Amino acid sequence: MSSRSMFRFVLGVDNESELLLQSSWLMVFMGVCTFVILQFVDLPYGRYACSKFGFPVNVKAAWFLQEIPSLALPLYLTFFSIDTEPLQLPNQLLLGMFICHYIHRSLIFPFLIRGGKATPFISFALAFTFCLYNGYLQARFLSKYAVYPSDWITDPRFLTGFVFWFFGLSVNLHSDHILRKLRKPGETGYKIPHGGMFEYVSGANFFGEIVEWIGFAVACWSLPSTAFAVFGFFILASRAAQHHRKNTVETEHVYCLPHAPLGRKIKVKNIYWTLYI
C-alpha cells in the first residue's frame, strides 16, 4: 500500500501535507473549545492542583516528561528521518527557534523548580499529548513541507517575527527567574512579583510566552505556526485570568489584556483604562 493510500484509508486524507493542514485547523478548534471550558473550570496545575484530576505526579518529572516530545520529535525528524531532505537556512533557523524554547522547557526549567505542588495525572497527560501533537506538527512541517525563498531571513516578516520571538523568550525566562526568587527557603504563601516586565504587566511570564509564539508564527508565516500561537494564546490567557480571579492584587499593579474581565477598569500608572475582550 502506498503512503497516499495509507493516509486516505486510515486518516481520510490524501497525503501528509493535507494531514498537517487539517491538524492545524483542529488545533485552532481545540484552543477555542478549551478557552470556553476554562471559563467554568479552573486549570488544575501548580497551586490550583487537586486530587479530583488524578493521582499526583512529581512536578519536576511531570514538566520534563510532558515537554520532552516537543524537543525529541524535531531532533529526530531533522537528523534521523529517512525521507527528510537537508534543510535550507530559513528552515534551520525557524526549527531552531522552536527547539531552543523546548531545550529550556524540558531540560533546564524542570530542574530549577523550587518546591512546587505535584501535577495531577490528567493535567500531565493532556500536556504530554499536546506536546507530542504540536511537536510533530511544527517539526514535520518545517523539516519537510515548508518552502521559503533563499532570502527569507531578510524578509520583513521573518525579521519582525524573530524580534518578537526573542523579546518574548527573554521576558518569559526573566519572569520565571523572578518568580523562583520570590520566596526564601521555607517561606509559603502568595507574593506579588516585581521587577522586569512585572513592573508593566502582572502576568509577565504568560505575556512573554504569548509574544514569543506570536513572533514565531509571524517568522514562519504558516498555518501550523499560527495555529500554535492561537492555541497558546487561549491557554495562557485562561491561566492569566485564573490568577486574576484567585488573587487580590494592589491597584498599582498592571494587568495585561488576558487578565482583564469584561469591562473592568484597571489602574496603569494612575491612568484608568477600560479593556474589552
Side-chain angles (χ1 to χ4, degrees):
M1 179 182 292
S2 68
S3 59
R4 180 169 181 172
S5 299
M6 181 186 68
F7 279 112
R8 178 181 289 277
F9 177 75
V10 177
L11 301 171
V13 297
D14 288 330
N15 51 58
E16 189 179 27
S17 177
E18 185 179 342
L19 172 65
L20 295 177
L21 296 180
Q22 292 191 10
S23 298
S24 300
W25 287 116
L26 177 60
M27 181 178 289
V28 172
F29 176 74
M30 290 192 302
V32 174
C33 292
T34 303
F35 179 78
V36 173
I37 292 171
L38 293 179
Q39 305 313 298
F40 305 97
V41 179
D42 283 340
L43 197 64
Y45 76 100
R47 57 198 176 104
Y48 309 114
C50 58
S51 59
K52 68 180 180 180
F53 289 96
F55 62 85
V57 181
N58 177 273
V59 64
K60 294 185 178 182
W63 269 102
F64 170 75
L65 293 172
Q66 73 190 31
E67 303 291 318
I68 200 67
S70 284
L71 174 61
L73 277 172
L75 293 176
Y76 171 79
L77 292 173
T78 300
F79 296 108
F80 301 103
S81 179
I82 59 174
D83 63 346
T84 301
E85 300 293 332
L87 299 184
Q88 300 301 309
L89 180 59
N91 301 67
Q92 293 177 21
L93 293 177
L94 293 167
L95 198 53
M97 291 161 64
F98 186 80
I99 289 173
C100 179
H101 175 91
Y102 283 101
I103 286 176
H104 175 262
R105 268 290 181 256
S106 61
L107 301 182
I108 300 174
F109 176 81
F111 305 103
L112 295 177
I113 295 174
R114 297 168 58 178
K117 292 182 67 174
T119 301
F121 178 77
I122 292 178
S123 299
F124 160 72
L126 290 173
F128 175 85
T129 302
F130 175 77
C131 286
L132 189 67
Y133 181 100
N134 188 54
Y136 165 75
L137 177 62
Q138 305 302 326
R140 191 59 169 172
F141 181 78
L142 287 172
S143 64
K144 185 172 183 180
Y145 296 103
V147 178
Y148 297 98
S150 58
D151 61 348
W152 180 252
I153 60 175
T154 61
D155 187 284
R157 289 167 290 183
F158 175 83
L159 296 175
T160 301
F162 182 83
V163 168
F164 272 80
W165 172 82
F166 185 78
F167 172 74
L169 177 65
S170 300
V171 168
N172 184 247
L173 296 181
H174 186 240
S175 300
D176 283 344
H177 173 75
I178 291 174
L179 291 173
R180 282 194 298 270
K181 300 296 183 181
L182 274 179
R183 302 181 192 86
K184 296 177 182 179
E187 285 188 331
T188 59
Y190 180 73
K191 288 190 174 183
I192 297 172
H194 293 284
M197 281 300 294
F198 282 111
E199 297 301 316
Y200 306 97
V201 182
S202 67
N205 51 331
F206 302 125
F207 170 77
E209 192 162 354
I210 287 172
V211 173
E212 179 185 356
W213 295 125
I214 289 175
F216 178 72
V218 173
C220 291
W221 207 255
S222 68
L223 179 58
S225 61
T226 301
F228 179 30
V230 170
F231 185 93
F233 174 81
F234 282 130
I235 298 301
L236 294 167
S238 299
R239 292 176 65 180
Q242 182 175 346
H243 277 290
H244 178 70
R245 290 192 301 267
K246 296 295 185 181
N247 298 317
T248 301
V249 183
E250 297 177 357
T251 57
E252 287 292 338
H253 209 54
V254 183
Y255 278 91
C256 68
L257 181 61
H259 287 67
L262 183 62
R264 175 161 182 169
K265 291 181 177 179
I266 58 176
K267 193 173 184 181
V268 183
K269 301 300 182 183
N270 299 316
I271 300 175
Y272 284 93
W273 302 83
T274 302
L275 298 183
Y276 296 94
I277 56 176

